[in-house]
Amino acid sequence: MGEHAETEESQVHLGLEENGKEQSHLSITVLGADEARRPLRVKVGPPVELRQRKKPKSSENKESAKEEKISDIPAPERVPKHVLFQRFAKIFIGCLAAVTSGMMYALYLSAYHERKFWFSNRQELEREITFQGDSAIYYSYYKDMLKAPSFERGVYELTHNNKTVSLKTINAVQQMSLYPELIASVLYQATGSNEIIEPVYFYIGIVFGLQGIYVTALFVTSWLMSGTWLAGMLTVAWFIINRVDTTRIEYSIPLRENWALPYFACQIAALTGYLKSNLNTYGERFCYLLMSASTYTFMMMWEYSHYLLFLQAISLFLLDIFSLKQNDKVYEVYKIYIFSLFLGYLLQFENPALLVSPLLSLVAALMLAKCLQLNVKKGSFVAKIIKVINFYLVCTLTITLNIIMKMFVPHKENGHMLKFLEVKFGLNMTKNFTMNWLLCQESLQAPSQDFFLRLTQSSLLPFYILVLIICFLSMLQVIFRRINGKSLKETVTLEDGRIGERPEIIYHVIHTILLGSLAMVIEGLKYIWIPYVCMLAAFGVCSPELWMTLFKWLRLRTVHPILLALILSMAVPTIIGLSLWKEFFPRLMTELMELQEFYDPDTVELMTWIKRQAPVAAVFAGSPQLMGAIKLCTGWMVTSLPLYNDDDLLKRNENIYQIYSKRSAEDIYKILTSYKANYLIVEDAICNEVGTMRGCRVKDLLDIANGHMVCEEGDKLTYSKYGRFCHEVKINYSPYVNYFTRVYWNRSYFVYKINTVISFQS
């Protein structure tokens, strides 16, 4: 029988039954190379007859064999009604908690914003001043859309905008991703809200509502991963407590990421459900549709969205490399990327940035590599070699395709970003003002110690590290099992303690490691990483499977591991929640009770003077941040904007900033008149800046760029025979008074009219 083990195997089972009288039965199972196991029962009596089933030869026999095999499968048992009721109650309570959490967070943001700025008691001008920097630009275009006679006319004026920056016509919709403002203006007018609510409240209300959706999506993601909505509640608690590091909504409401990241959270929630192994067909279709819609919307809302999707695609590629049972689903996600990229390219005025994006190159390389894959038996040595070759092939193809696309597609794909990264990592040195100014921005530096201290005080960081280590080690364990040729189980039970076999968990582990690595280099990326830190940590402490994985490694014998895992998955989050409630809830209530006030009378006076005294056709020059406020509050044309994705605007910003350098009055006059500026605004806060980081003040960076300050050893120092312009122009002596005439000033701002006719005085 050992010689014919691969072709045929026979097993005989004898049994006795009582059916009125004692009878003997003989059960014969014949297992052939192409047959399934089939039991045959014949009566054994005097005489005993043994019959062996032959392989069906005709097509009729094959069909009858298939019917017989199907009939042998037991019909699925009906789920008891009380079990269905428990499932329904669990889902209903979880959905209610998720929606309630999102709504409460949106209401909290609205109440906190009202208390912080005393918003409802302010005049319209004072409200608009609260929008700082690039936020002011975004909201100004929302106002322009509401003033337009029709939606079509408003869109045309934005796509052919020549009333914002002097001597420059821009497509503001494409360049600044103004689709949120277009949608908000349409909703405001279509819903008749203009008769009920002021435009500013409608605008910020949409953003706060999206933040509620953001929190709800994080809730659902942790619920899907852990199986309990208790994890969602803990996620929301950590998110709100650490909101200084999870969102920038308190400081800059109209920012693009505040509009886009809620859709990214919905996409990740849908992807998490889609990757689950035990998902039914209807759930899979729903997740796929939600993922498609949210991916495209996310790409339309934020110009940098394709970089985040690129990191996500890398995570899915590594998941596919590890052969964790989800290969087909991963390639369906790649199709969503391609569809979203090309649809976005068409609807974003043929935006070349999407064609030369690394996401498109990676997905195209993955598709080509899949076409070249061979059908090799999994687990064999050849299959492992092909995996390595496939990884190398994808990396090579991605780089090659990206280079080819950039050769044939005309683009200006954020070249300053590459230069910034080179300087950031010490690969290059520069005296360029813009590069050094970006390096000095707090959001682009490495995280400070206060950042880690805040996360530790809220207990988020310790639990995140614990969960990440357990999941990562379990993932490595699964990979080594694969390398050794051991097959993975179709369904992983709680007793197995193998959380690393779940593909959605592995995806999140890889993704959070990638995002965390970037956040350790650039602190501004913490707003993308920390929300998923909250979600992953909450999932881990609420997951019995994670505790069971830990107990399997520890080989716990004193207490039943399953019982202890179930107890800890309930007790630990409860203890964490109670401690957070006791320590942080009073602080949140105190913040809502305190009435703060945004007080900036100098800026209000400046804007009022411009609206009353300056000609309508006047062009103002000054710092980009102030120019954004002038564009919003007055509507007057400016020379520069606080945007950093356009080379021409970056050059303008650097030239206008020369008013704080040691340059002659004639040089400054030539720069300003080249941009058709009529008025110059000098800010005392920049001219007399006293920064803790010497070398990062605007005037220091200008001196380094102009050679008036030694940046490093070996530099040559060029002494300037001129004083600092912003100081000298205030004295009102020749030659400064010949070029500039002071027309307005207060404690913070000095406004000078740029003379069209130069009268030289002694």
Side-chain angles (χ1 to χ4, degrees):
M1 188 172 182
E3 298 175 355
H4 304 283
E6 297 180 357
T7 58
E8 186 171 279
E9 178 182 352
S10 299
Q11 294 178 350
V12 179
H13 303 284
L14 294 176
L16 295 176
E17 284 185 357
E18 289 291 338
N19 188 12
K21 61 180 180 179
E22 186 174 353
Q23 292 181 339
S24 297
H25 288 77
L26 178 65
S27 176
I28 302 175
T29 303
V30 180
L31 183 62
D34 300 322
E35 282 189 340
R37 187 183 298 271
R38 299 189 184 91
L40 301 177
R41 292 184 178 273
V42 295
K43 288 186 179 181
V44 180
V48 177
E49 182 181 0
L50 300 178
R51 291 186 297 181
Q52 181 174 346
R53 183 184 297 273
K54 297 182 179 179
K55 296 181 181 179
K57 297 181 181 179
S58 63
S59 59
E60 295 180 359
N61 291 339
K62 290 182 180 179
E63 292 178 1
S64 62
K66 291 181 181 178
E67 292 176 359
E68 183 178 346
K69 180 179 179 180
I70 295 173
S71 63
D72 290 341
I73 300 175
E77 297 182 0
R78 275 185 144 185
V79 181
K81 291 184 177 180
H82 69 278
V83 176
L84 290 175
F85 178 77
Q86 289 178 356
R87 292 179 182 175
F88 174 78
K90 180 181 178 181
I91 295 175
F92 176 78
I93 294 174
C95 292
L96 183 63
V99 174
T100 303
S101 299
M103 293 178 62
M104 293 298 293
Y105 180 61
L107 293 174
Y108 166 78
L109 287 177
S110 179
Y112 180 76
H113 181 263
E114 171 65 26
R115 288 286 179 174
K116 182 178 181 180
F117 295 105
W118 207 17
F119 210 67
S120 60
N121 294 281
R122 293 292 185 183
Q123 299 296 324
E124 182 180 3
L125 179 59
E126 294 174 321
R127 292 174 183 171
E128 291 176 349
I129 289 176
T130 62
F131 297 106
Q132 300 289 321
D134 50 350
S135 297
I137 298 297
Y138 298 129
Y139 184 73
S140 70
Y141 287 122
Y142 168 71
K143 285 180 57 181
D144 292 344
M145 282 298 299
L146 295 181
K147 294 176 183 177
S150 65
F151 177 76
E152 293 79 6
R153 183 62 186 175
V155 172
Y156 179 82
E157 290 179 353
L158 290 185
T159 54
H160 302 78
N161 188 279
N162 57 1
K163 298 179 180 179
T164 299
V165 183
S166 61
L167 302 178
K168 189 175 178 66
T169 300
I170 59 175
N171 185 342
V173 178
Q174 177 186 351
Q175 190 165 345
M176 304 178 194
S177 299
L178 296 181
Y179 296 96
E181 282 67 34
L182 298 182
I183 296 172
S185 62
V186 169
L187 292 176
Y188 182 71
Q189 295 175 337
T191 57
S193 300
N194 51 350
E195 301 176 358
I196 305 172
I197 188 173
E198 296 180 50
V200 64
Y201 283 107
F202 185 82
Y203 185 87
I204 64 176
I206 293 179
V207 182
F208 290 157
L210 286 174
Q211 298 306 303
I213 295 176
Y214 193 0
V215 165
T216 300
L218 293 173
F219 184 110
V220 172
T221 305
S222 58
W223 180 14
L224 287 171
M225 294 170 65
S226 64
T228 171
W229 51 265
L230 188 63
M233 299 295 291
L234 187 57
T235 301
V236 175
W238 266 327
F239 183 92
I240 297 176
I241 290 169
N242 296 279
R243 71 184 187 281
V244 176
D245 301 306
T246 56
T247 178
R248 298 173 64 184
I249 191 67
E250 295 179 12
Y251 310 103
S252 305
I253 294 176
L255 288 180
R256 301 300 86 182
E257 54 261 42
N258 292 336
W259 286 88
L261 290 179
Y263 295 102
F264 188 53
C266 293
Q267 192 254 15
I268 287 183
L271 178 60
T272 302
Y274 186 68
L275 291 176
K276 289 177 70 70
S277 302
N278 56 349
L279 192 67
N280 57 42
T281 305
Y282 295 105
E284 191 173 300
R285 289 177 182 174
F286 174 77
C287 289
Y288 185 83
L289 293 175
L290 177 60
M291 186 167 42
S292 303
S294 55
T295 300
Y296 172 70
T297 309
F298 173 58
M299 193 172 293
M300 294 292 290
M301 291 292 173
W302 195 18
E303 59 181 323
Y304 299 117
S305 58
H306 56 88
Y307 291 111
L308 274 184
L309 294 176
F310 173 67
L311 293 179
Q312 187 182 75
I314 292 176
S315 305
L316 293 173
F317 169 55
L318 294 177
L319 177 66
D320 183 29
I321 284 291
F322 298 150
S323 299
L324 297 177
K325 304 183 295 186
Q326 299 293 326
N327 305 56
D328 295 334
K329 290 185 177 181
V330 167
Y331 281 93
E332 289 298 322
V333 180
Y334 295 157
K335 294 177 183 178
I336 293 176
Y337 291 152
I338 292 180
F339 172 78
S340 300
L341 281 169
F342 281 104
L343 188 59
Y345 169 76
L346 295 175
L347 296 183
Q348 289 185 6
F349 307 94
E350 299 183 356
N351 185 7
L354 297 180
L355 293 183
V356 299
S357 66
L359 174 63
L360 180 60
S361 301
L362 175 62
V363 174
L366 289 167
M367 291 297 186
L368 289 175
K370 181 177 176 61
C371 296
L372 298 175
Q373 283 182 358
L374 301 175
N375 293 324
V376 181
K377 184 179 180 181
K378 294 183 179 180
S380 64
F381 177 76
V382 177
K384 297 172 185 176
I385 296 297
I386 289 179
K387 284 290 183 184
V388 176
I389 296 175
N390 183 57
F391 180 82
Y392 174 77
L393 179 64
V394 169
C395 295
T396 306
L397 278 175
T398 301
I399 298 173
T400 304
L401 290 174
N402 193 253
I403 293 174
I404 292 174
M405 292 297 291
K406 288 183 177 180
M407 288 174 57
F408 291 97
V409 178
H411 70 288
K412 293 181 180 179
E413 176 51 10
N414 299 318
H416 61 283
M417 287 183 57
L418 297 177
K419 296 178 183 177
F420 165 77
L421 293 176
E422 289 179 1
V423 178
K424 175 73 175 178
F425 294 111
L427 301 177
N428 195 1
M429 296 295 294
T430 181
K431 294 182 180 180
N432 181 267
F433 169 80
T434 302
M435 290 297 106
N436 289 327
W437 185 82
L438 289 174
L439 286 171
C440 287
Q441 298 303 302
E442 184 179 352
S443 61
L444 297 178
Q445 295 178 2
S448 61
Q449 292 182 354
D450 294 338
F451 167 69
F452 298 103
L453 183 61
R454 287 193 302 268
L455 297 183
T456 304
Q457 288 176 343
S458 64
S459 71
L460 174 60
L461 190 59
F463 283 106
Y464 167 74
I465 294 175
L466 173 66
V467 173
L468 182 63
I469 290 175
I470 294 175
C471 292
F472 183 73
L473 292 178
S474 181
M475 180 185 74
L476 293 181
Q477 190 178 27
V478 172
I479 294 172
F480 287 135
R481 288 175 60 86
R482 270 290 191 186
I483 294 175
N484 294 330
K486 297 180 181 179
S487 60
L488 302 179
K489 297 183 66 173
E490 290 295 330
T491 56
V492 181
T493 60
L494 180 61
E495 294 86 349
D496 297 327
R498 295 179 186 173
I499 199 169
E501 291 191 12
R502 292 174 54 185
E504 71 274 16
I505 304 300
I506 305 307
Y507 156 72
H508 279 287
V509 169
I510 299 173
H511 199 189
T512 191
I513 289 175
L514 292 177
L515 291 176
S517 302
L518 293 177
M520 293 301 102
V521 178
I522 301 176
E523 186 177 6
L525 294 176
K526 68 181 181 181
Y527 301 108
I528 302 172
W529 178 52
I530 297 300
Y532 300 101
V533 170
C534 299
M535 180 269 298
L536 196 67
F539 137 74
V541 298
C542 297
S543 174
E545 195 173 352
L546 183 131
W547 293 109
M548 191 65 194
T549 302
L550 179 61
F551 296 152
K552 278 285 187 180
W553 294 342
L554 298 177
R555 297 184 179 181
L556 188 65
R557 302 296 183 189
T558 55
V559 183
H560 197 285
I562 297 180
L563 178 61
L564 185 58
L566 292 172
I567 294 175
L568 288 178
S569 64
M570 295 292 291
V572 172
T574 303
I575 295 172
I576 295 173
L578 292 175
S579 63
L580 294 178
W581 178 278
K582 182 179 179 180
E583 183 176 356
F584 292 98
F585 183 74
R587 299 185 190 179
L588 297 177
M589 292 297 101
T590 302
E591 290 176 350
L592 291 180
M593 296 302 294
E594 289 181 352
L595 183 60
Q596 305 178 38
E597 185 176 2
F598 182 79
Y599 187 68
D600 190 2
D602 293 343
T603 305
V604 173
E605 291 174 4
L606 174 64
M607 300 303 168
T608 304
W609 180 87
I610 292 174
K611 295 174 72 173
R612 291 177 179 176
Q613 302 295 329
V616 177
V619 178
F620 284 83
S623 68
Q625 288 71 25
L626 181 60
M627 294 301 99
I630 289 177
K631 172 62 177 70
L632 168 60
C633 299
T634 68
W636 265 245
M637 193 176 294
V638 295
T639 57
S640 58
L641 291 175
L643 299 172
Y644 310 105
N645 58 355
D646 183 86
D647 293 336
D648 180 62
L649 288 176
L650 288 174
K651 188 63 178 177
R652 282 175 177 245
N653 293 344
E654 182 177 351
N655 290 337
I656 299 299
Y657 264 130
Q658 295 296 326
I659 62 178
Y660 301 105
S661 68
K662 297 176 182 179
R663 300 280 293 272
S664 67
E666 184 180 2
D667 290 344
I668 302 300
Y669 180 82
K670 289 180 179 178
I671 291 173
L672 296 175
T673 53
S674 67
Y675 295 121
K676 301 297 182 183
N678 304 115
Y679 290 89
L680 168 66
I681 303 178
V682 176
E683 298 175 60
D684 236 16
I686 300 177
C687 189
N688 300 320
E689 183 180 4
V690 181
T692 55
M693 293 178 59
R694 181 166 178 82
C696 275
R697 298 178 300 180
V698 169
K699 51 188 179 183
D700 294 338
L701 297 175
L702 289 168
D703 290 344
I704 292 173
N706 296 333
H708 300 153
M709 180 185 291
V710 176
C711 179
E712 56 187 47
E713 294 183 5
D715 285 352
K716 291 183 178 180
L717 180 63
T718 304
Y719 291 96
S720 175
K721 61 181 180 180
Y722 305 104
R724 198 167 300 280
F725 175 84
C726 62
H727 289 310
E728 301 295 328
V729 74
K730 296 177 185 177
I731 303 177
N732 282 336
Y733 68 85
S734 181
Y736 296 92
V737 71
N738 301 331
Y739 297 99
F740 307 97
T741 302
R742 187 165 63 190
V743 293
Y744 173 81
W745 71 94
N746 58 28
R747 292 174 300 177
S748 301
Y749 304 102
F750 293 81
V751 182
Y752 296 89
K753 188 177 187 304
I754 302 173
N755 299 331
T756 54
V757 178
I758 304 174
S759 59
F760 288 95
Q761 304 175 12
S762 57

